[in-house]
Amino acid sequence: MMAKVVVIYSGGMDSFTVLNRALRDGHDVYALSFNYGQRHVKELEVAAQATAKLGVPHKIVDITSINSLLAGSSLTSTEIAIPEGEYQEDSMKSTVVPNRNMILLSLAIGYAVSLEASAVYYGAHSGDHAIYPDCRPEFVKRMNEVSQIANYEPIDIAVPYLDSDKAGILADGLSMNLDYSDTWTCYNGRDKACGKCSACVERLEAFAANHCRDPLAYED
């Protein structure tokens, strides 16, 4: 019997790979996405399309009302510029949404309990450790400990790429023959990816490291 798992699915290339890895590992997958008022809300449209292709149950939960509590991030405020160029700790701190992953994980854990699932998967990886506190191994460890005792039913926090960078995640996805045109990474939610924001730059570097071309269309 397949174990039920919940995958926090943003629509980006990391969570897309996590989703497919969970499927390939034989799990009964339920995808969960959140609209938290992100500027790149286009990722949710892409997430819906990808899960429809895969035949995976998918919920998009609107939590935009919490935005008034989580000020100061360029991902949710049009008054703060999206940083461009390579990931640098000083500039990328503006993309931190306060306590985002703890909030999303808490909601996903509750969903997992209601489904009688055994685990919640999310796409933290080593490339994010220096910039995003809620992607660090110590955060994952503590959240997993809390998740074991927060309900009558213990839920595991599964982070398959915690020790991999984006190039390594992409390498595993390519080994599964995944189509990354079914993902969205750009922090600017326009028709085409900008190719300049730090998220785009890191994505393009991952494809270059794997000696292949990104299938997404980019602005000139």
Side-chain angles (χ1 to χ4, degrees):
M1 183 175 178
M2 295 188 297
K4 289 182 182 178
V5 301
V6 172
V7 176
I8 297 178
Y9 184 44
S10 69
M13 60 185 292
D14 301 332
S15 64
F16 179 70
T17 312
V18 170
L19 181 76
N20 280 277
R21 172 46 60 201
L23 289 168
R24 297 297 176 94
D25 288 346
H27 297 305
D28 182 12
V29 174
Y30 291 76
L32 183 61
S33 303
F34 297 94
N35 181 352
Y36 56 89
Q38 60 268 48
R39 289 166 67 165
H40 53 304
V41 71
K42 180 175 178 176
E43 66 180 3
L44 298 180
E45 299 171 13
V46 174
Q49 293 165 5
T51 50
K53 282 186 181 181
L54 291 167
V56 170
H58 180 220
K59 287 183 180 292
I60 299 177
V61 180
D62 187 339
I63 57 171
T64 52
S65 60
I66 69 171
N67 238 351
S68 62
L69 304 177
L70 308 178
S73 173
S74 59
L75 297 193
T76 55
S77 174
T78 56
E79 297 176 0
I80 304 173
I82 295 287
E84 296 185 350
E86 293 188 357
Y87 266 60
Q88 299 293 332
E89 184 172 358
D90 289 342
S91 62
M92 290 307 296
K93 280 184 178 179
S94 78
T95 66
V96 174
V97 178
N99 213 34
R100 178 180 61 178
N101 282 346
M102 184 178 285
I103 294 167
L104 303 190
L105 282 165
S106 294
L107 293 169
I109 290 165
Y111 183 41
V113 170
S114 73
L115 288 173
E116 298 183 349
S118 61
V120 169
Y121 280 65
Y122 88 113
H125 63 84
S126 66
D128 285 341
H129 292 177
I131 299 162
Y132 300 112
D134 52 9
C135 290
R136 294 173 184 168
E138 52 266 41
F139 172 81
V140 174
K141 180 176 184 292
R142 299 297 193 278
M143 277 300 295
N144 188 56
E145 290 171 352
V146 170
S147 188
Q148 302 303 309
I149 62 172
N151 299 278
Y152 289 117
E153 302 83 359
I155 303 295
D156 292 330
I157 305 297
V159 190
Y161 299 113
L162 188 62
D163 297 319
S164 301
D165 60 11
K166 194 172 287 284
I169 295 171
L170 178 58
D172 191 42
L174 293 172
S175 75
M176 292 186 278
N177 296 313
L178 302 187
D179 181 359
Y180 283 93
S181 65
D182 290 331
T183 66
W184 184 263
T185 298
C186 183
Y187 283 153
N188 294 296
R190 299 191 286 261
D191 289 339
K192 295 181 179 180
C194 73
K196 297 177 180 178
C197 72
S198 298
C200 279
V201 169
E202 187 189 34
R203 176 183 174 120
L204 289 166
E205 288 176 345
F207 275 92
N210 282 278
H211 309 290
C212 58
R213 184 177 179 179
D214 188 346
L216 283 190
Y218 284 82
E219 295 173 352
D220 295 333

